Amino acid sequence: MNKSPAWTRKEGKNPKGGLNAKGRASYKGGTLKAPVKSGDNPRRASFLARMGGMPGPERKPNGDPTRLLLSLQAWGASSKSDAKAKAAAISKRNKGKK
């Protein structure tokens, strides 16, 4: 019996948000890199901008954080609005470096 890839199952997901190493390794669409938690990396700015604009709540009805909020926290943002602000600030600093 074939199992689905680890990134689609609990064993491939990090309880603190995002995917763990096993989940990233099981993704066949390309090579996934670990989250960039701080700094002015363009990957971080892009991720924060994309995820900051995602629809849906940050918290479940019982008050627990959703996977979206956990992922944002793994990349160094505390909320969707914080993610948008950080993405804009990182992009602005990166444009000044060129």
Side-chain angles (χ1 to χ4, degrees):
M1 175 182 244
N2 289 336
K3 280 189 169 182
S4 59
W7 69 271
T8 63
R9 293 180 281 134
K10 187 174 182 175
E11 69 184 60
K13 295 180 181 179
N14 185 334
K16 294 181 180 176
L19 299 174
N20 59 25
K22 185 174 185 175
R24 288 191 304 270
S26 72
Y27 183 71
K28 298 293 182 197
T31 304
L32 296 178
K33 297 178 182 178
V36 180
K37 298 177 189 273
S38 61
D40 288 347
N41 190 312
R43 268 184 65 230
R44 182 171 179 241
S46 175
F47 178 86
L48 292 174
R50 281 193 326 269
M51 297 304 278
M54 292 291 286
E58 294 178 8
R59 298 211 173 263
K60 297 176 186 173
N62 66 1
D64 291 342
T66 61
R67 297 286 303 169
L68 170 63
L69 183 57
L70 290 173
S71 293
L72 287 172
Q73 290 171 347
W75 285 73
S78 59
S79 65
K80 289 196 277 188
S81 58
D82 183 42
K84 289 178 191 176
K86 285 186 178 189
I90 292 168
S91 294
K92 185 176 181 181
R93 286 193 299 266
N94 285 340
K95 285 190 191 288
K97 293 179 183 177
K98 290 182 179 180

